Amino acid sequence: MPDPPDGARGEPSPAPSSQAPPSSAPSSPAAEASSSAEAYAALLDQPVQIVTAAAGGERAGCLVGFAGQCSLRPVRFAVWLSRVNRIWRIADRADHLGVHLLDPERLDLARLFGGETGDETDKFARVQWRWGPCGVPVLEEAAAWCVGAVLGRVDGGDHEGFLLDPVRAAVPRDRTRGAFLSLDDTLHLDPGHP
């Protein structure tokens, strides 16, 4: 196992050099390939999820690519919603959100919740769903789902992060880790909102 970097064991890190590295210094292959954050982000392929919310007699749902576990103990999740989407306007008033994983063959659900805008389409009229825990819409055709209480929000630029404390989840007994519909599977879809 390699030694941790300087300072990782409580040792002081050496003072930064005031001299620039010589131009003949070899650069890393990664730096030569690309130094952009967009190129790095393009390497990531996580599951996409459908987030659902209800508040003030309205309901909404949207396909999201930015979601995942953010704490081990206690278990917490975070989902990031675009401020231009209807789901954000509903979620901003909601106490709980639903998060749904999709089987790889459910591109139809991804297309509906990611390619249509709730401002023009009642997405729920075209799917099987029910009212779930805490008054959150739950998609019956999801591979697995979780409802979480909104503990807080964080500004992430054009998206807002919602910190969720899971209160109930449904995962089929025979389902563990496995293939779910991923970001790469949906890149060809035109978003309902830019």
Side-chain angles (χ1 to χ4, degrees):
M1 182 169 186
D3 289 334
D6 289 339
R9 286 192 238 152
E11 301 166 3
S13 298
S17 170
S18 60
Q19 297 178 353
S23 60
S24 62
S27 60
S28 72
E32 289 174 7
S34 177
S35 61
S36 73
E38 290 84 6
Y40 179 82
L43 298 174
L44 305 176
D45 187 30
Q46 63 272 1
V48 291
Q49 299 179 57
I50 294 175
V51 175
T52 58
E58 298 180 272
R59 63 182 187 254
C62 186
L63 183 74
V64 300
F66 309 137
Q69 186 174 349
C70 60
S71 174
L72 293 173
R73 290 185 186 87
V75 172
R76 298 280 191 261
F77 298 100
V79 297
W80 296 84
L81 304 177
S82 171
R83 295 177 194 278
V84 300
N85 288 338
R86 183 170 188 273
I87 183 74
W88 178 81
R89 295 190 303 273
I90 306 300
D92 194 48
R93 296 180 281 136
D95 295 328
H96 294 80
L97 300 178
V99 185
H100 306 74
L101 287 165
L102 303 176
D103 285 316
E105 64 273 5
R106 293 317 307 253
L107 194 57
D108 60 320
L109 289 176
R111 186 175 291 111
L112 174 63
F113 281 89
E116 301 283 337
T117 173
D119 294 324
E120 300 169 3
T121 302
D122 180 1
K123 300 174 189 181
F124 293 92
R126 296 169 51 189
V127 298
Q128 295 178 22
W129 69 280
R130 65 180 171 80
W131 290 109
C134 308
V136 173
V138 170
L139 303 178
E140 296 284 354
E141 299 164 289
W145 59 263
C146 178
V147 168
V150 177
L151 296 181
R153 296 170 175 84
V154 63
D155 181 354
D158 62 355
H159 283 63
E160 183 171 15
F162 289 74
L163 177 63
L164 302 179
D165 177 17
V167 295
R168 189 102 155 270
V171 178
R173 290 185 195 275
D174 61 343
R175 193 74 186 238
T176 56
R177 290 185 181 210
F180 294 104
L181 194 67
S182 74
L183 190 59
D184 276 352
D185 297 328
T186 61
L187 290 177
H188 67 282
L189 298 177
D190 291 324
H193 275 287

